[in-house]
């Protein structure tokens, strides 16, 4: 029997992927992984060559998680994040606050109001209300 392998006729491989190519998307810098099995090493090599130049020109990845607390509260967030993530952690190139990060396909969003605590009240001008009782 000289029937063609069903995997080829169905356009699937069915073998276990062992290597991958990282493609950095040009507008966001986010990574897209393309996995290949040993049967398709020629495709892996071709794709690796195709994305080499694009990956070199792609921007730093836009963060897609975290950054909300710095949007609302003042603190030394770099120290906080480094303590939790380890001494090798570096802030994203776009900043620590999520409000500073670009949104792909959209204009920049205006900054949100920050929550503030006003302490005191003794320094308020009360002369305008005196004598009105």
């Amino acid at each position: 029997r000289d029937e063609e392998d069903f995997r080829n006729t169905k356009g699937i491989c069915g073998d276990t992927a062992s290597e991958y190519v990282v493609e950095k998307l040009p507008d966001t810098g986010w990574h897209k992984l393309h996995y290949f099995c040993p049967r398709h090493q020629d495709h892996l090599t071709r794709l690796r060559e195709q994305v080499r130049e694009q990956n070199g020109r792609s921007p730093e990845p836009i963060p897609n998680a975290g950054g909300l607390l710095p949007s609302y509260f003042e603190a030394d967030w770099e120290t906080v994040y480094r303590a939790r993530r380890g001494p090798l952690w570096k802030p994203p190139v776009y900043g620590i606050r999520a409000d500073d990060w670009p949104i792909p396909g959209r204009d920049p969003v205006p900054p949100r109001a920050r929550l503030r605590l006003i302490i005191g009240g003794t320094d308020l001008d009360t002369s305008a209300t005196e004598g009105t009782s």
Side-chain angles (χ1 to χ4, degrees), residues 75-95:
D76 184 2
W77 289 107
E78 193 168 327
T79 302
V80 172
Y81 282 123
R82 190 164 282 116
R84 298 299 298 159
R85 304 288 305 269
L88 299 179
W89 178 85
K90 293 186 296 189
V93 296
Y94 298 102

Side-chain angles (χ1 to χ4, degrees), residues 21-65:
V21 174
V22 176
E23 176 186 9
K24 294 182 181 178
L25 302 179
D27 53 342
T28 62
W30 292 339
H31 297 175
K32 182 176 183 181
L33 302 178
H34 302 274
Y35 289 90
F36 294 91
C37 73
R39 289 179 58 199
H40 293 98
Q41 290 296 309
D42 55 332
H43 296 299
L44 174 127
T45 304
R46 181 180 47 80
L47 184 60
R48 190 172 278 155
E49 288 301 316
Q50 285 178 343
V51 300
R52 184 183 316 264
E53 185 179 335
Q54 173 183 314
N55 287 352
R57 287 182 284 130
S58 292
E60 285 290 319
I62 299 170
N64 60 0

